Every structure is written in structure tokens, then in C-alpha cells.
Amino acid sequence: MSLAVSARWLRFSILLIWLVSGVSSIRAQSFPRPGETWDSKPLGVFALGRWQRVRLTSEGKGKGTLILDPNRAAWDGFSPAWRSTRMAEVRLPIRFQAVKAVNRSSATPQTTAPRLYDLLPEGKRSLAASGIGPRLRLVTATLPTGPQRLLEWDAERITRVVALERSPRSVVALPETDRFAFKSTFLGRTWGRTALVSISGSLKDRTGRLVLDGNAMIPDPFGDPSISTMMAPIPQEVTLAERKGLPSTVMARVFTLEGAKPPMSLVLERGGAAARLVLQDTSGKATGFLTLEPDRRAATPLFSSEWRLVEIVGARETITPTEEEYSLRFLPDGRIVGRAGVNRIAGFFGVAEDHLVFSPLVSTRAAALNPTVESAFLTALSKVRSFRSEGEELRLLLAGEVGAIVLKRVPLPSR
């Protein structure tokens, strides 16, 4: 009998240790890992007060350091080079306070596993005394293609959103497309009446559309702005003139935006989704820099649902699926996941307005029950070049032939 009791106690002790270790690991994961760093890079005329650069470092156990740097940056036309003007930076000890789940605006798609942290000063010096807003919040995604942002709060209102880069930086080679579309974060009052800057166009045609949006905007808790006024911004049609003769070490393409007012240049990093807008004076000298992020607003209908295959329309035949599941789900961080019969598929997608392209998709290797449909589905996905959404139907249009992948909306389960 005593052996039975001892065995029960042993099992109970093992279970208790497992639960405690599980809770501890969850708590440890609720804060950024030690050594993680976020960097605004040079802010130029978009600086936070007198601070030209903001960095944030995690030291583990919910503690970190906020570094405010007043030194300015030099600009060679394609990459900012940090140049110290021998002004002392300010280091503020802070702690990360995880923010409980908040509801996003119904007009804004859900991001994948975003994490929010309020940055609370540890010492006697307050954030406001340092010349920035009284409250700061970090928005960070677990995936490298997700948003990394610093939100500045004034009372209960977000007044500024700063795009950050996380280090060490994980480079994700998103599929390249002829079309491009980028936008700024919410600028607040840092550049006159302009609250949002967006640019889109075609690298092949060397044409673009620049929009300086002065609408009053109300960012949601994640920093995504929603338009609250009905002013129609007037787009500027620009021509992209590429700068030649750059050093081979420059991992960027630089374009002068002819016709833009004020004068600007666009810097597109090679093999990635990052871009920068460079403001210039009439002599061509750089006066400010602005980090841009992919503009996926036109693709918002893709994110709200799972899409099930109805048929694949080709030039010679139409293929309809069997009782197996063929589906796609688009995630706002640039990933795509789905099913091709018994196999799961995953990869990345690039989108600019209605132009869409997929990276080579990876798939599990289970034996297909209907290999003809699976092969046709995967082959058609590799040929997608644009999309059209009409109500409950999504059509992925194929390149090089008359055809499309037709899918039907399946609502996601409510959370």
C-alpha cells in the first residue's frame, strides 16, 4: 500500500514540476529575449523632438535600455551613414510591461502574433522629461516580416508611430515583382499637415504615384492608422530615374522621383521589402529620411478569410477539386499557408495593389490521393500575377495564358 501511495506522490510531484516549469517558461517568453535590439535608424526631419535616432535593447527578465541619440546622420544618396556630432546620448533604464490582448479595428486585418509592451522608466527620470511623449509602447511581431513599431502616446492618444528594425535582422527574400507599393507609418505632427505618405508604381514602366495624405487619422493600439476625415489627397504622378554607377557593395536601387514636390528620391533595398524616402532641397541635398513599409491596404480583403478552391480555369480545360481540401490563407506579415489535398503548403507572397506573386511554396510529402488536382493547383499558384476580389469570390489571375484560380470565402472562426 505504501508503495502505491509513494508512486502516486511521485507522479504528482512530476506533474507539479512540469506545470511549474511550463508556467515559468511562459513567463520567460512574455518578455523580449536578452540581446534583442530595435533601431529606428536615422530619423532626419521626422525626429522625435531633438532625438535623431531611437534604440531599444532587452536585457532579459523584463528589463532593458532606451537609448535616445541626438547625433545626426550623413546621407550619400542610398544608405545613411551615422556621423557623430559628439553630442551625448541619453540612456534610460526601462522595463517591459506586457499589454493584455486588445481588439483591433474591424477595418484592420489581424497581424500574426503581435506583442505589445508598455515601456516604463525604471529610474527617477520620466519619459516626458527626456523630451518625448509621456508614454511609449513597443509593437513587435514574432516573424521578421511582421511590424516592429514604437508608439508615442500623449495622454490616451497615439501621436506618432516610428518604424523600427529588429537586430539581429533576419533577411526574408520576399518574391520580387515589377510593381511596388510602400507607405509610411503615422507621422503625427512631424511634417506639416501630412499624416501619411504612400508611393506605388511600376519599375518596368518607371512610373509612380506619390500621395501626401493630410487626412486626420486615428491609429489603433497597434499603430495602424484609420482615416477619420474625408479629404481626397491629390496624387502626384512621378517618373522614376534610376541612379547608375553605384558601388557594388550598395544593396539598393536608388531612383530620383522626377515631378515630386518637394524633391524626393526612393531607395529600394534589393531582395527585401524595405524602402526609404529621401527628402531633398532644391539643390539636391538630403534634408530628411523616412523608412517605408509594404503597403498592403489594397490586399485587405485577402486577409479576412480562408479561401477554398472552386476550380482552376485553364486555356484548354477546367479542373475541379475532389472532396479533398484545397485552400489558402493569407497572413498580413507576408506569409501564405494552406492545403493541397492531404499535404500542407507554405511560403511567402508579394503584393502591390492588385498585383500578386508567390515565392516557391514548400509542401509536405504525403502521397496524394488525387495527384492530378494537386499538381495542377501548385503549378497554377506559381503562375499567379494578380488578383480580383468580388464579394465571396477571389480570382487569382495567371500569367502567360487565359486562366485563373477561383476560390470561395470561408469565414475564419471567431476568437
Side-chain angles (χ1 to χ4, degrees):
M1 188 68 176
S2 60
L3 291 176
V5 173
S6 299
R8 288 179 187 147
W9 272 107
L10 179 60
R11 288 196 297 268
F12 176 76
S13 300
I14 294 174
L15 178 61
L16 182 61
I17 293 172
W18 179 77
L19 288 173
V20 170
S21 62
V23 172
S24 298
S25 63
I26 291 173
R27 288 179 177 174
Q29 293 174 1
S30 65
F31 298 111
R33 294 188 302 271
E36 282 195 273
T37 300
W38 293 267
D39 193 339
S40 71
K41 296 299 180 67
L43 293 171
V45 295
F46 303 101
L48 289 167
R50 68 186 181 93
W51 306 111
Q52 293 287 328
R53 186 180 187 182
V54 180
R55 285 170 287 167
L56 182 64
T57 301
S58 172
E59 299 167 1
K61 297 183 179 180
K63 295 186 178 181
T65 302
L66 179 66
I67 304 170
L68 305 174
D69 196 335
N71 291 287
R72 294 182 177 273
W75 184 265
D76 57 11
F78 40 82
S79 58
W82 199 244
R83 181 183 62 190
S84 175
T85 48
R86 300 183 182 278
M87 298 177 65
E89 62 185 20
V90 172
R91 293 174 171 264
L92 298 177
I94 56 96
R95 58 186 173 90
F96 297 89
Q97 179 173 285
V99 179
K100 295 182 180 180
V102 294
N103 294 325
R104 303 200 65 155
S105 168
S106 59
T108 306
Q110 294 284 335
T111 55
T112 302
R115 294 178 179 175
L116 285 74
Y117 305 95
D118 283 331
L119 306 182
L120 306 179
E122 281 278 82
K124 297 181 179 179
R125 189 170 186 175
S126 67
L127 296 176
S130 301
I132 55 180
R135 295 175 58 190
L136 292 178
R137 174 173 289 178
L138 173 68
V139 179
T140 176
T142 56
L143 295 173
T145 52
Q148 316 289 331
R149 296 169 180 168
L150 187 68
L151 312 184
E152 184 184 34
W153 291 66
D154 181 6
E156 295 299 323
R157 181 174 177 268
I158 296 175
T159 58
R160 175 76 185 279
V161 181
V162 178
L164 303 175
E165 291 183 4
R166 182 165 59 184
S167 301
R169 185 178 178 187
S170 300
V171 178
V172 175
L174 296 176
E176 296 185 358
T177 175
D178 162 59
R179 305 288 302 187
F180 65 89
F182 293 95
K183 68 177 180 65
S184 71
T185 56
F186 174 58
L187 299 178
R189 302 175 181 176
T190 57
W191 196 28
R193 297 175 56 185
T194 302
L196 190 74
V197 177
S198 62
I199 183 170
S200 61
S202 168
L203 295 178
K204 179 181 179 180
D205 298 335
R206 294 291 194 267
T207 58
R209 173 172 292 191
L210 176 69
V211 179
L212 308 182
D213 197 335
N215 281 285
M217 298 189 181
I218 303 176
D220 69 5
F222 291 79
D224 289 319
S226 59
I227 298 176
S228 61
T229 57
M230 301 300 292
M231 296 170 56
I234 300 176
Q236 303 179 29
E237 302 299 329
V238 297
T239 301
L240 281 67
E242 186 166 9
R243 177 174 173 176
K244 301 294 184 179
L246 298 179
S248 59
T249 56
V250 177
M251 301 300 293
R253 299 179 68 180
V254 182
F255 300 89
T256 299
L257 301 182
E258 298 179 351
K261 297 180 181 180
M264 300 182 190
S265 292
L266 178 67
V267 180
L268 301 179
E269 289 191 9
R270 299 182 187 273
R276 289 188 176 91
L277 200 63
V278 185
L279 306 184
Q280 301 167 325
D281 58 20
T282 54
S283 66
K285 181 180 179 181
T287 60
F289 332 110
L290 181 62
T291 300
L292 304 178
E293 58 187 24
D295 187 354
R296 299 191 176 103
R297 289 176 295 175
T300 297
L302 300 178
F303 307 133
S304 60
S305 305
E306 182 177 84
W307 299 95
R308 297 281 177 86
L309 178 64
V310 175
E311 60 185 7
I312 303 171
V313 180
R316 297 181 179 179
E317 63 176 338
T318 297
I319 297 176
T320 57
T322 60
E323 64 277 2
E324 297 175 287
E325 179 182 329
Y326 295 84
S327 62
L328 295 175
R329 184 178 174 190
F330 298 85
L331 303 178
D333 59 15
R335 291 187 303 154
I336 184 170
V337 295
R339 297 191 69 92
V342 296
N343 288 301
R344 295 183 179 274
I345 56 176
F348 293 93
F349 68 92
V351 61
E353 298 177 320
D354 64 341
H355 292 256
L356 177 68
V357 63
F358 297 112
S359 69
L361 301 177
V362 297
S363 172
T364 55
R365 296 180 178 272
L369 299 179
N370 195 329
T372 301
V373 179
E374 179 179 328
S375 177
F377 186 49
L378 295 176
T379 300
L381 288 175
S382 68
K383 298 180 180 180
V384 170
R385 291 298 179 269
S386 61
F387 72 94
R388 185 168 67 243
S389 176
E390 298 177 354
E392 301 299 310
E393 183 181 274
L394 174 65
R395 300 180 71 89
L396 305 182
L397 308 180
L398 310 183
E401 61 180 275
V402 179
I405 302 174
V406 183
L407 304 109
K408 182 179 180 180
R409 182 193 306 273
V410 178
L412 296 173
S414 57
R415 296 183 178 181

